[in-house]
Amino acid sequence: MGDIILGFILIIPLYGVLIWSYFYPKESLLWGKRWMYKEEPEISDGAIRYIKFASLISVIGMTLVFIILILTQN
């Protein structure tokens, strides 16, 4: 049971980053790379859709894996 609680505590920041990435895809794409551009770069709609899709699938997948781990724990 302690492993599950520790795993949940360690996954919370990852959930936060994925949720932030879903709601603010432009900022998450440029995070750490903004210094390379003199002006604000143009981000395509396809890239924004991909970031949102990947974030949503990652949150759902992590949640399912976590639920399966809880249910299979003896």
Side-chain angles (χ1 to χ4, degrees):
M1 187 65 174
D3 296 336
I4 294 172
I5 294 171
L6 180 63
F8 184 71
I9 290 171
L10 292 175
I11 287 177
I12 288 174
L14 186 56
Y15 271 118
V17 168
L18 288 172
I19 291 170
W20 172 71
S21 181
Y22 181 79
F23 287 112
Y24 302 104
K26 289 181 182 180
E27 287 79 10
S28 68
L29 183 64
L30 293 174
W31 185 57
K33 298 177 186 170
R34 199 174 296 268
W35 62 272
M36 296 189 311
Y37 305 103
K38 289 183 180 179
E39 297 175 5
E40 190 72 21
E42 183 76 25
I43 299 173
S44 69
D45 292 336
I48 291 172
R49 279 194 308 268
Y50 175 74
I51 291 172
K52 284 187 160 196
F53 177 76
S55 298
L56 186 64
I57 294 300
S58 298
V59 167
I60 292 170
M62 284 179 18
T63 303
L64 289 175
V65 167
F66 199 70
I67 288 172
I68 290 170
L69 287 175
I70 289 173
L71 293 177
T72 59
Q73 194 76 330
N74 291 335

Coordinates of all heavy atoms in Angstrom, one line a residue:
M1 N 0.8 -1.2 0.0 CA 0.0 0.0 0.0 C 0.9 1.3 0.0 O 0.5 2.3 -0.6 CB -0.9 0.0 1.2 CG -1.9 1.0 1.2 SD -3.1 0.8 -0.1 CE -4.2 2.1 0.2
G2 N 2.0 1.2 0.7 CA 2.9 2.3 0.7 C 3.5 2.7 -0.7 O 3.7 3.8 -1.0
D3 N 3.7 1.6 -1.5 CA 4.2 1.8 -2.9 C 3.2 2.6 -3.7 O 3.5 3.5 -4.5 CB 4.4 0.5 -3.5 CG 5.6 -0.3 -2.9 OD1 6.4 0.4 -2.2 OD2 5.6 -1.5 -3.0
I4 N 1.9 2.3 -3.5 CA 0.8 3.0 -4.3 C 0.8 4.5 -3.9 O 0.7 5.4 -4.7 CB -0.5 2.3 -4.0 CG1 -0.5 0.9 -4.6 CG2 -1.6 3.2 -4.7 CD1 -1.7 0.1 -4.3
I5 N 0.9 4.8 -2.6 CA 0.8 6.2 -2.1 C 2.1 6.9 -2.6 O 1.9 8.0 -3.1 CB 0.7 6.2 -0.6 CG1 -0.6 5.6 -0.2 CG2 0.9 7.6 -0.1 CD1 -0.8 5.4 1.3
L6 N 3.2 6.3 -2.5 CA 4.4 6.9 -3.0 C 4.4 7.2 -4.5 O 4.7 8.2 -5.0 CB 5.7 6.1 -2.7 CG 7.0 6.6 -3.1 CD1 7.3 7.9 -2.4 CD2 8.1 5.6 -2.9
G7 N 3.9 6.2 -5.3 CA 3.7 6.4 -6.7 C 2.8 7.5 -7.0 O 3.0 8.3 -8.0
F8 N 1.7 7.6 -6.3 CA 0.7 8.7 -6.5 C 1.3 10.0 -6.3 O 1.1 11.0 -7.0 CB -0.5 8.5 -5.7 CG -1.6 9.5 -5.9 CD1 -2.3 9.5 -7.1 CD2 -1.9 10.4 -5.0 CE1 -3.3 10.4 -7.3 CE2 -2.9 11.4 -5.2 CZ -3.6 11.4 -6.4
I9 N 2.1 10.1 -5.2 CA 2.7 11.4 -4.9 C 3.7 11.8 -5.9 O 3.9 13.0 -6.3 CB 3.4 11.3 -3.5 CG1 2.3 11.2 -2.4 CG2 4.3 12.5 -3.2 CD1 2.8 10.9 -1.0
L10 N 4.4 10.8 -6.5 CA 5.4 11.1 -7.5 C 4.8 11.4 -8.9 O 5.4 12.1 -9.7 CB 6.4 9.9 -7.7 CG 7.3 9.7 -6.5 CD1 8.1 8.4 -6.7 CD2 8.2 10.9 -6.2
I11 N 3.6 11.0 -9.1 CA 2.9 11.2 -10.4 C 2.2 12.5 -10.4 O 2.0 13.1 -11.5 CB 2.0 10.0 -10.7 CG1 2.8 8.8 -11.1 CG2 1.0 10.3 -11.8 CD1 2.0 7.6 -11.4
I12 N 1.9 13.1 -9.3 CA 1.1 14.3 -9.2 C 1.8 15.5 -10.0 O 1.1 16.2 -10.8 CB 0.8 14.8 -7.8 CG1 -0.2 13.8 -7.2 CG2 0.4 16.2 -7.7 CD1 -0.4 14.1 -5.7
P13 N 3.1 15.7 -9.9 CA 3.7 16.8 -10.7 C 3.6 16.5 -12.3 O 3.4 17.4 -13.0 CB 5.2 16.8 -10.3 CG 5.2 16.2 -9.0 CD 4.1 15.2 -9.0
L14 N 3.7 15.2 -12.6 CA 3.5 14.9 -14.1 C 2.1 15.2 -14.6 O 1.9 15.7 -15.7 CB 3.9 13.4 -14.3 CG 3.9 13.0 -15.7 CD1 4.9 13.8 -16.5 CD2 4.4 11.5 -15.8
Y15 N 1.1 14.9 -13.7 CA -0.2 15.2 -14.1 C -0.4 16.8 -14.2 O -1.0 17.2 -15.2 CB -1.2 14.8 -13.0 CG -1.8 13.4 -13.1 CD1 -1.5 12.4 -12.2 CD2 -2.6 13.1 -14.2 CE1 -2.0 11.2 -12.3 CE2 -3.1 11.8 -14.4 CZ -2.8 10.9 -13.4 OH -3.3 9.6 -13.5
G16 N 0.2 17.5 -13.4 CA 0.2 19.0 -13.4 C 0.8 19.5 -14.7 O 0.2 20.4 -15.4
V17 N 1.9 18.9 -15.1 CA 2.6 19.4 -16.4 C 1.7 19.0 -17.6 O 1.6 19.8 -18.5 CB 4.0 18.7 -16.5 CG1 4.6 18.9 -17.9 CG2 4.9 19.3 -15.5
L18 N 1.1 17.8 -17.6 CA 0.3 17.4 -18.7 C -1.0 18.2 -18.8 O -1.4 18.6 -19.9 CB 0.0 15.9 -18.6 CG 1.1 15.0 -18.8 CD1 0.7 13.5 -18.5 CD2 1.6 15.0 -20.3
I19 N -1.6 18.6 -17.7 CA -2.8 19.4 -17.7 C -2.4 20.8 -18.2 O -3.1 21.4 -19.0 CB -3.4 19.4 -16.3 CG1 -4.1 18.0 -16.0 CG2 -4.5 20.5 -16.2 CD1 -4.5 17.8 -14.6
W20 N -1.3 21.3 -17.7 CA -0.8 22.7 -18.2 C -0.6 22.6 -19.7 O -0.9 23.5 -20.4 CB 0.4 23.0 -17.4 CG 1.1 24.3 -17.9 CD1 0.7 25.6 -17.8 CD2 2.4 24.3 -18.6 NE1 1.6 26.4 -18.4 CE2 2.6 25.7 -18.9 CE3 3.3 23.4 -19.0 CZ2 3.8 26.1 -19.5 CZ3 4.4 23.8 -19.6 CH2 4.6 25.1 -19.9
S21 N 0.0 21.5 -20.1 CA 0.3 21.4 -21.5 C -0.9 21.3 -22.4 O -1.0 21.8 -23.5 CB 1.2 20.1 -21.7 OG 1.5 20.0 -23.1
Y22 N -2.0 20.7 -21.8 CA -3.2 20.6 -22.6 C -3.9 22.0 -22.7 O -4.4 22.3 -23.8 CB -4.2 19.7 -21.9 CG -5.5 19.5 -22.6 CD1 -5.6 18.7 -23.7 CD2 -6.6 20.2 -22.1 CE1 -6.8 18.6 -24.4 CE2 -7.8 20.1 -22.8 CZ -7.9 19.3 -23.9 OH -9.1 19.1 -24.6
F23 N -3.9 22.8 -21.6 CA -4.6 24.1 -21.6 C -3.8 25.2 -22.3 O -4.3 26.2 -22.8 CB -5.1 24.5 -20.2 CG -6.2 23.6 -19.8 CD1 -6.1 22.7 -18.7 CD2 -7.5 23.7 -20.4 CE1 -7.2 22.0 -18.3 CE2 -8.6 23.0 -19.9 CZ -8.4 22.1 -18.9
Y24 N -2.5 25.1 -22.2 CA -1.6 26.1 -22.8 C -0.5 25.4 -23.7 O 0.7 25.4 -23.4 CB -0.9 26.9 -21.7 CG -1.8 27.6 -20.7 CD1 -2.1 27.1 -19.4 CD2 -2.5 28.7 -21.1 CE1 -2.9 27.7 -18.6 CE2 -3.4 29.3 -20.2 CZ -3.6 28.8 -19.0 OH -4.5 29.4 -18.1
P25 N -1.0 24.9 -24.8 CA 0.0 24.2 -25.7 C 1.1 25.0 -26.3 O 2.2 24.5 -26.4 CB -0.9 23.6 -26.8 CG -2.1 24.4 -26.8 CD -2.3 24.9 -25.4
K26 N 0.8 26.3 -26.6 CA 1.9 27.1 -27.2 C 3.0 27.4 -26.2 O 4.2 27.3 -26.5 CB 1.3 28.5 -27.6 CG 0.4 28.4 -28.8 CD -0.1 29.7 -29.2 CE -1.0 29.6 -30.4 NZ -1.5 31.0 -30.8
E27 N 2.6 27.7 -24.9 CA 3.6 27.9 -23.9 C 4.4 26.7 -23.6 O 5.6 26.7 -23.3 CB 2.9 28.5 -22.6 CG 2.5 29.9 -22.8 CD 1.1 30.1 -23.5 OE1 0.5 29.0 -23.7 OE2 0.8 31.2 -23.8
S28 N 3.7 25.5 -23.5 CA 4.4 24.3 -23.2 C 5.4 23.9 -24.3 O 6.5 23.3 -24.1 CB 3.5 23.2 -22.9 OG 2.8 22.8 -24.1
L29 N 5.0 24.2 -25.6 CA 5.9 23.9 -26.7 C 7.2 24.7 -26.7 O 8.3 24.3 -27.0 CB 5.2 24.0 -28.0 CG 5.9 23.7 -29.3 CD1 6.3 22.2 -29.3 CD2 5.2 24.0 -30.5
L30 N 7.0 26.0 -26.3 CA 8.2 26.9 -26.3 C 8.9 27.0 -24.9 O 9.9 27.7 -24.8 CB 7.7 28.3 -26.6 CG 7.2 28.5 -28.0 CD1 6.6 29.9 -28.2 CD2 8.3 28.2 -29.0
W31 N 8.5 26.2 -24.0 CA 9.1 26.2 -22.6 C 10.5 25.8 -22.7 O 10.9 24.7 -23.2 CB 8.3 25.3 -21.7 CG 8.8 25.4 -20.3 CD1 8.9 26.5 -19.5 CD2 9.2 24.3 -19.5 NE1 9.4 26.1 -18.3 CE2 9.6 24.8 -18.2 CE3 9.4 22.9 -19.7 CZ2 10.1 24.0 -17.2 CZ3 9.8 22.1 -18.7 CH2 10.2 22.7 -17.5
G32 N 11.4 26.6 -22.4 CA 12.9 26.4 -22.4 C 13.5 26.6 -23.8 O 14.7 26.5 -23.9
K33 N 12.7 27.0 -24.7 CA 13.3 27.3 -26.1 C 13.0 28.7 -26.5 O 13.4 29.1 -27.6 CB 12.6 26.3 -27.1 CG 13.0 24.9 -26.8 CD 12.3 24.0 -27.8 CE 12.5 22.5 -27.4 NZ 11.7 21.6 -28.2
R34 N 12.3 29.5 -25.8 CA 11.9 30.8 -26.2 C 13.1 31.7 -26.4 O 13.1 32.6 -27.2 CB 11.0 31.4 -25.1 CG 10.1 32.6 -25.6 CD 9.2 33.0 -24.5 NE 8.2 32.0 -24.2 CZ 7.0 31.9 -24.8 NH1 6.7 32.8 -25.7 NH2 6.1 31.0 -24.4
W35 N 14.2 31.4 -25.7 CA 15.4 32.3 -25.9 C 16.0 32.1 -27.3 O 16.8 33.0 -27.7 CB 16.4 31.9 -24.8 CG 16.9 30.4 -25.0 CD1 16.4 29.3 -24.4 CD2 18.0 30.0 -25.8 NE1 17.1 28.2 -24.8 CE2 18.1 28.6 -25.6 CE3 19.0 30.6 -26.5 CZ2 19.1 27.8 -26.3 CZ3 19.9 29.9 -27.2 CH2 20.0 28.5 -27.0
M36 N 15.7 31.1 -28.0 CA 16.3 30.9 -29.3 C 15.7 31.8 -30.4 O 16.2 31.9 -31.5 CB 16.1 29.5 -29.8 CG 16.9 28.5 -28.9 SD 17.0 26.8 -29.4 CE 15.3 26.4 -29.9
Y37 N 14.5 32.5 -30.1 CA 13.8 33.2 -31.1 C 13.9 34.7 -30.7 O 13.7 35.1 -29.6 CB 12.4 32.8 -31.2 CG 12.3 31.3 -31.5 CD1 11.9 30.4 -30.5 CD2 12.5 30.8 -32.8 CE1 11.8 29.1 -30.8 CE2 12.4 29.5 -33.1 CZ 12.0 28.6 -32.1 OH 11.9 27.3 -32.3
K38 N 14.0 35.6 -31.7 CA 14.0 37.0 -31.5 C 12.5 37.5 -31.4 O 12.2 38.3 -30.6 CB 14.7 37.8 -32.7 CG 16.2 37.6 -32.7 CD 16.8 38.4 -33.8 CE 18.3 38.2 -33.7 NZ 18.9 39.0 -34.8
E39 N 11.7 36.9 -32.2 CA 10.2 37.2 -32.2 C 9.5 36.0 -31.8 O 10.0 34.9 -31.8 CB 9.8 37.7 -33.6 CG 10.5 39.0 -34.0 CD 10.1 39.3 -35.4 OE1 9.2 38.6 -36.0 OE2 10.7 40.3 -35.9
E40 N 8.2 36.2 -31.5 CA 7.3 35.1 -31.1 C 7.1 34.2 -32.3 O 6.6 34.6 -33.4 CB 6.0 35.6 -30.6 CG 5.1 34.6 -30.0 CD 5.6 34.1 -28.6 OE1 6.4 34.8 -28.0 OE2 5.2 33.0 -28.2
P41 N 7.5 32.9 -32.3 CA 7.3 32.0 -33.4 C 5.9 31.7 -33.7 O 5.1 31.6 -32.8 CB 8.2 30.8 -33.1 CG 8.2 30.8 -31.6 CD 8.1 32.2 -31.2
E42 N 5.6 31.4 -35.0 CA 4.2 30.9 -35.3 C 4.2 29.4 -35.2 O 4.9 28.7 -35.8 CB 4.0 31.3 -36.8 CG 2.6 31.0 -37.3 CD 1.6 32.0 -36.8 OE1 1.9 33.1 -36.5 OE2 0.4 31.6 -36.7
I43 N 3.2 29.0 -34.4 CA 3.0 27.5 -34.1 C 1.8 27.1 -34.9 O 0.8 27.7 -34.9 CB 2.9 27.3 -32.6 CG1 4.1 27.7 -31.9 CG2 2.6 25.8 -32.4 CD1 4.0 27.7 -30.4
S44 N 2.0 26.0 -35.6 CA 0.9 25.5 -36.5 C -0.2 24.9 -35.7 O -0.1 24.5 -34.6 CB 1.5 24.5 -37.5 OG 1.8 23.3 -36.8
D45 N -1.4 24.9 -36.3 CA -2.6 24.3 -35.7 C -2.4 22.8 -35.5 O -2.8 22.2 -34.5 CB -3.8 24.5 -36.5 CG -4.2 26.0 -36.5 OD1 -3.8 26.7 -35.6 OD2 -4.9 26.4 -37.5
G46 N -1.7 22.1 -36.4 CA -1.4 20.7 -36.2 C -0.6 20.4 -35.0 O -0.8 19.4 -34.3
A47 N 0.4 21.2 -34.8 CA 1.3 21.1 -33.6 C 0.5 21.2 -32.3 O 0.7 20.5 -31.3 CB 2.5 22.0 -33.6
I48 N -0.4 22.2 -32.3 CA -1.2 22.5 -31.1 C -2.2 21.3 -30.9 O -2.3 20.8 -29.7 CB -2.0 23.8 -31.3 CG1 -1.0 25.0 -31.2 CG2 -3.1 23.9 -30.2 CD1 -1.6 26.3 -31.6
R49 N -2.8 20.8 -32.0 CA -3.7 19.6 -31.8 C -2.9 18.4 -31.3 O -3.4 17.6 -30.5 CB -4.4 19.3 -33.1 CG -5.5 20.2 -33.4 CD -6.4 19.7 -34.6 NE -5.6 19.4 -35.8 CZ -5.4 20.2 -36.8 NH1 -5.9 21.4 -36.7 NH2 -4.7 19.8 -37.8
Y50 N -1.7 18.2 -31.8 CA -0.9 17.1 -31.4 C -0.5 17.2 -29.9 O -0.6 16.2 -29.2 CB 0.4 17.0 -32.2 CG 1.3 15.9 -31.8 CD1 1.1 14.6 -32.0 CD2 2.5 16.2 -31.0 CE1 1.9 13.6 -31.5 CE2 3.3 15.3 -30.6 CZ 3.0 13.9 -30.8 OH 3.9 13.0 -30.3
I51 N -0.1 18.3 -29.5 CA 0.2 18.5 -28.0 C -1.0 18.2 -27.2 O -0.9 17.5 -26.1 CB 0.8 19.9 -27.8 CG1 2.2 20.0 -28.4 CG2 0.9 20.2 -26.3 CD1 2.7 21.4 -28.4
K52 N -2.2 18.8 -27.6 CA -3.4 18.5 -26.8 C -3.7 17.0 -26.8 O -4.1 16.5 -25.7 CB -4.5 19.3 -27.3 CG -4.5 20.8 -27.0 CD -5.7 21.5 -27.4 CE -5.9 22.8 -26.7 NZ -7.2 23.3 -26.7
F53 N -3.7 16.4 -27.9 CA -4.0 15.0 -28.0 C -3.0 14.1 -27.2 O -3.5 13.2 -26.5 CB -4.0 14.5 -29.5 CG -4.2 13.1 -29.7 CD1 -5.5 12.6 -29.6 CD2 -3.2 12.2 -30.0 CE1 -5.7 11.2 -29.8 CE2 -3.4 10.9 -30.2 CZ -4.7 10.4 -30.1
A54 N -1.7 14.4 -27.3 CA -0.7 13.6 -26.6 C -0.9 13.8 -25.1 O -0.8 12.9 -24.3 CB 0.7 14.0 -27.0
S55 N -1.2 15.0 -24.6 CA -1.4 15.3 -23.2 C -2.6 14.5 -22.7 O -2.6 13.9 -21.6 CB -1.6 16.8 -23.0 OG -0.4 17.5 -23.3
L56 N -3.7 14.6 -23.4 CA -5.0 13.9 -23.0 C -4.8 12.4 -23.0 O -5.2 11.8 -22.0 CB -6.1 14.3 -24.0 CG -7.5 13.8 -23.6 CD1 -7.9 14.4 -22.3 CD2 -8.5 14.1 -24.7
I57 N -4.2 11.9 -24.0 CA -3.9 10.4 -24.0 C -3.0 10.0 -22.9 O -3.2 9.0 -22.2 CB -3.4 10.0 -25.4 CG1 -4.4 10.2 -26.4 CG2 -2.9 8.5 -25.4 CD1 -5.7 9.4 -26.3
S58 N -2.0 10.8 -22.6 CA -1.1 10.5 -21.5 C -1.8 10.5 -20.1 O -1.5 9.6 -19.3 CB 0.1 11.5 -21.5 OG 0.8 11.4 -22.7
V59 N -2.6 11.5 -19.9 CA -3.4 11.6 -18.6 C -4.3 10.4 -18.5 O -4.3 9.7 -17.4 CB -4.2 12.9 -18.5 CG1 -5.1 12.8 -17.4 CG2 -3.2 14.1 -18.3
I60 N -5.0 10.0 -19.6 CA -5.9 8.9 -19.5 C -5.1 7.6 -19.3 O -5.5 6.7 -18.5 CB -6.8 8.8 -20.8 CG1 -7.8 10.0 -20.8 CG2 -7.5 7.5 -20.9 CD1 -8.5 10.2 -22.1
G61 N -4.0 7.4 -20.1 CA -3.2 6.2 -20.0 C -2.6 6.1 -18.6 O -2.6 5.0 -18.0
M62 N -2.1 7.1 -18.0 CA -1.5 7.0 -16.7 C -2.5 6.7 -15.6 O -2.3 5.9 -14.7 CB -0.8 8.4 -16.3 CG 0.5 8.6 -17.0 SD 1.4 10.1 -16.6 CE 0.6 10.7 -15.2
T63 N -3.7 7.3 -15.8 CA -4.8 7.0 -14.9 C -5.2 5.5 -14.9 O -5.4 4.9 -13.9 CB -6.0 7.9 -15.1 OG1 -5.6 9.3 -15.1 CG2 -7.1 7.7 -14.1
L64 N -5.3 5.0 -16.1 CA -5.7 3.6 -16.3 C -4.6 2.7 -15.7 O -4.9 1.7 -15.0 CB -5.9 3.3 -17.8 CG -7.2 3.8 -18.4 CD1 -7.2 3.5 -19.9 CD2 -8.4 3.3 -17.7
V65 N -3.4 3.0 -16.0 CA -2.3 2.1 -15.5 C -2.3 2.2 -13.9 O -2.1 1.2 -13.3 CB -0.9 2.6 -16.0 CG1 0.3 2.0 -15.3 CG2 -0.8 2.3 -17.5
F66 N -2.5 3.4 -13.4 CA -2.5 3.5 -11.9 C -3.7 2.7 -11.3 O -3.5 2.1 -10.3 CB -2.6 5.0 -11.5 CG -2.2 5.3 -10.1 CD1 -0.8 5.1 -9.8 CD2 -3.1 5.7 -9.2 CE1 -0.5 5.4 -8.5 CE2 -2.7 5.9 -7.9 CZ -1.4 5.8 -7.5
I67 N -4.9 2.8 -12.0 CA -6.0 2.1 -11.5 C -5.8 0.5 -11.5 O -6.1 -0.2 -10.6 CB -7.3 2.5 -12.2 CG1 -7.7 3.9 -11.8 CG2 -8.4 1.5 -12.0 CD1 -8.8 4.4 -12.7
I68 N -5.2 0.1 -12.6 CA -4.9 -1.3 -12.8 C -3.9 -1.8 -11.7 O -4.0 -2.9 -11.1 CB -4.3 -1.6 -14.2 CG1 -5.5 -1.5 -15.2 CG2 -3.7 -3.0 -14.3 CD1 -5.0 -1.5 -16.6
L69 N -2.9 -1.0 -11.4 CA -1.9 -1.3 -10.4 C -2.6 -1.4 -9.0 O -2.2 -2.2 -8.2 CB -0.8 -0.3 -10.3 CG 0.2 -0.4 -11.5 CD1 1.2 0.8 -11.4 CD2 0.9 -1.7 -11.5
I70 N -3.5 -0.5 -8.7 CA -4.2 -0.5 -7.5 C -5.1 -1.8 -7.4 O -5.1 -2.4 -6.3 CB -5.1 0.7 -7.3 CG1 -4.2 1.9 -7.1 CG2 -6.1 0.6 -6.1 CD1 -5.0 3.3 -7.0
L71 N -5.8 -2.1 -8.4 CA -6.7 -3.3 -8.4 C -5.9 -4.6 -8.3 O -6.4 -5.6 -7.8 CB -7.6 -3.3 -9.6 CG -8.6 -2.1 -9.7 CD1 -9.4 -2.2 -11.0 CD2 -9.5 -2.2 -8.5
T72 N -4.7 -4.7 -8.9 CA -4.0 -6.0 -8.9 C -3.1 -6.1 -7.6 O -2.5 -7.2 -7.4 CB -3.1 -6.1 -10.1 OG1 -2.2 -5.0 -10.2 CG2 -3.9 -6.1 -11.4
Q73 N -3.0 -5.1 -6.8 CA -2.3 -5.1 -5.6 C -2.9 -6.0 -4.6 O -4.1 -6.0 -4.4 CB -2.1 -3.7 -5.0 CG -1.1 -3.6 -4.0 CD 0.3 -3.6 -4.5 OE1 0.6 -4.2 -5.6 NE2 1.2 -3.0 -3.9
N74 N -2.2 -6.9 -3.9 CA -2.8 -7.8 -2.9 C -2.7 -7.2 -1.6 O -1.9 -6.6 -1.1 CB -2.1 -9.2 -3.0 CG -2.4 -9.9 -4.2 OD1 -3.5 -9.7 -4.8 ND2 -1.6 -10.8 -4.6

